[in-house]
């Protein structure tokens, strides 16, 4: 039986130690990481604070790359889920407004997401209604759930983050309803009891305040978008170096005197993330994208009182 479904079979009460699903970090990057670690020359540990939101596809690309390079660069990664809408508001970035007003930018971004996914070996695809997911569904529920799980069961953070991304940006399925979060948690190897505890905790003031606090921390560290990476270094002129985006890794390697070998540092031992079944039938053409999303653009403009110039 595939371990992807072990959480739903009733044959196991705790799957995390043996999860090997399409969204499990152990099966996706573990083999590559072990092989890279065996061949790596010792380097001083490098701490990186990784600010991300699972609604951000570019954050997924950076997440997978960091994990693949963790043993190669000897990274100590601090995973810091934030609320992207809160960050946008705090920095007056108006990301959503920019997408609704600039169709060329929107088209390019969605085309680029697919291209970047192919390059980074991450099964990104454009949801049937991307504006609905980004503007209507949003990420508050899943980021609170992820924050609660991280606070109570920190060892699930990586698999749970990937599980949310996979369901939303690979399978194009709901990512915010309680039952969806239950399935996401079970896929990540959490027990039923752990999932329910995290769901309940996600509605508490403690968890809400924690998510707000980490989002504010990202702003204070200089975040202007996501993903945002803070490398703690000692180069004489600075103690930290910050990077925005998933395409900055060659520059990071250059600045930290590390080696960049592309998105997959050890191709011979790399296990690629499985694509959802019949994924080729799910891609949208630009014409389909325009037709399906114009009404959502109009709704977003109305809901957020965005005026055309």
């Amino acid at each position: 039986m595939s371990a992807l479904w072990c959480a739903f079979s009733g044959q196991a009460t705790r799957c995390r130690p043996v999860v090997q699903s399409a969204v499990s970090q152990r099966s996706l990057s573990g083999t590559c990481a072990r092989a890279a670690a065996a061949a790596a020359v010792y380097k001083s540990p490098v701490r990186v604070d990784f600010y991300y939101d699972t609604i951000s596809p570019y954050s997924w690309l950076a997440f997978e790359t960091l994990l693949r390079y963790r043993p190669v660069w000897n990274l100590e990664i601090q995973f810091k889920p934030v609320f992207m809408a809160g960050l946008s508001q705090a920095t007056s970035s108006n990301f959503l407004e920019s997408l609704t007003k600039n169709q060329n930018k929107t088209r390019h971004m969605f085309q680029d997401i697919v291209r970047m996914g192919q390059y980074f070996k991450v099964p990104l695809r454009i949801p049937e209604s991307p504006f609905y997911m980004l503007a209507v569904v949003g990420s508050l529920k899943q980021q609170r759930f992820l924050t609660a799980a991280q606070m109570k069961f920190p060892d699930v953070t990586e698999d749970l983050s990937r599980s949310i991304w996979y369901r939303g940006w690979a399978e194009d399925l709901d990512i915010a309803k309680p039952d969806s979060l239950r399935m996401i948690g079970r896929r990540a190897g959490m027990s039923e009891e752990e999932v329910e505890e995290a769901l309940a905790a996600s509605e508490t003031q403690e968890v809400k305040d924690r998510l707000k606090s980490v989002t504010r921390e990202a702003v204070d560290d200089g975040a202007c978008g996501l993903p945002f990476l803070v490398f703690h270094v000692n180069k004489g002129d600075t103690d930290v170096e910050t990077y925005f985006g998933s395409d900055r890794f060659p520059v990071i390697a250059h600045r930290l005197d590390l080696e960049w070998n592309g998105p997959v540092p050890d191709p011979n031992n790399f296990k690629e993330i499985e694509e959802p079944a019949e994924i080729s039938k799910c891609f949208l053409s630009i014409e389909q994208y325009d037709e399906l999303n114009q009404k959502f653009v109009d709704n977003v403009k109305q809901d957020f009182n965005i005026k055309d110039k």
Side-chain angles (χ1 to χ4, degrees), residues 2-302:
S2 170
L4 177 61
W5 303 113
C6 72
F8 310 103
S9 67
Q11 298 180 15
T13 59
R14 187 178 185 87
C15 298
R16 184 157 64 247
V18 294
V19 167
Q20 296 178 346
S21 73
V23 294
S24 170
Q25 184 267 336
R26 292 167 180 81
S27 63
L28 298 177
S29 57
T31 301
C32 176
R34 287 191 298 271
V41 177
Y42 176 78
K43 301 178 179 66
S44 298
V46 178
R47 175 188 161 192
V48 53
D49 297 331
F50 178 55
Y51 295 105
Y52 67 103
D53 190 321
T54 52
I55 201 73
S56 161
Y58 291 105
S59 291
W60 191 8
L61 301 176
F63 170 88
E64 298 295 349
T65 305
L66 281 173
L67 291 184
R68 295 168 193 168
Y69 273 86
R70 178 162 53 187
V72 180
W73 289 354
N74 200 11
L75 299 176
E76 296 179 349
I77 307 171
Q78 305 295 318
F79 295 96
K80 298 193 172 187
V82 303
F83 181 41
M84 188 166 72
L87 187 148
S88 296
Q89 183 178 20
T91 58
S92 302
S93 59
N94 296 319
F95 170 73
L96 185 61
E97 181 177 352
S98 70
L99 292 183
T100 61
K101 288 188 173 182
N102 190 331
Q103 285 293 311
N104 285 346
K105 178 179 180 179
T106 306
R107 288 186 179 194
H108 171 76
M109 186 186 77
F110 289 138
Q111 289 178 327
D112 187 58
I113 287 172
V114 175
R115 289 195 301 251
M116 292 286 280
Q118 293 169 347
Y119 174 70
F120 280 93
K121 307 297 183 184
V122 176
L124 282 170
R125 69 180 177 91
I126 304 305
E128 182 176 337
S129 301
F131 273 107
Y132 181 79
M133 182 173 75
L134 291 169
V136 180
V137 175
S139 65
L140 186 58
K141 293 291 186 181
Q142 54 269 39
Q143 290 302 98
R144 284 177 176 172
F145 177 61
L146 177 58
T147 298
Q150 184 183 48
M151 292 171 68
K152 292 182 172 295
F153 316 106
D155 61 318
V156 308
T157 301
E158 295 175 24
D159 285 346
L160 185 58
S161 298
R162 181 185 287 110
S163 188
I164 299 172
W165 274 308
Y166 191 86
R167 184 171 171 86
W169 283 102
E171 295 180 313
D172 191 11
L173 297 173
D174 177 76
I175 50 177
K177 295 177 181 177
D179 283 345
S180 298
L181 294 174
R182 288 185 175 94
M183 181 173 289
I184 287 168
R186 295 292 279 145
R187 275 186 166 188
M190 298 175 68
S191 69
E192 291 183 12
E193 294 77 11
E194 289 171 338
V195 169
E196 295 304 321
E197 186 174 347
L199 277 174
S202 69
E203 299 297 326
T204 65
Q205 195 61 46
E206 180 185 11
V207 168
K208 294 177 182 178
D209 289 344
R210 170 69 173 271
L211 183 59
K212 290 179 182 178
S213 175
V214 178
T215 302
R216 170 49 60 184
E217 181 184 337
V219 174
D220 292 343
D221 276 349
C224 52
L226 297 175
F228 192 74
L229 298 84
V230 179
F231 281 81
H232 296 259
V233 297
N234 184 7
K235 295 185 69 66
D237 57 339
T238 181
D239 292 327
V240 298
E241 292 205 353
T242 60
Y243 299 90
F244 165 49
S246 58
D247 58 351
R248 313 310 294 162
F249 289 101
V251 179
I252 293 170
H254 173 73
R255 287 289 299 169
L256 273 61
D257 296 322
L258 299 169
E259 186 174 357
W260 169 250
N261 293 312
V264 181
D266 187 2
N268 293 330
N269 293 287
F270 175 65
K271 183 176 178 62
E272 193 166 347
I273 303 173
E274 297 175 9
E275 292 186 345
E278 300 183 353
I279 189 172
S280 61
K281 297 181 180 180
C282 301
F283 281 107
L284 296 180
S285 67
I286 291 298
E287 292 74 19
Q288 289 173 316
Y289 158 76
D290 288 339
E291 179 181 353
L292 288 170
N293 286 284
Q294 185 57 52
K295 60 181 178 180
F296 292 111
V297 173
D298 294 339
N299 288 339
V300 169
K301 288 180 178 179
Q302 180 179 352

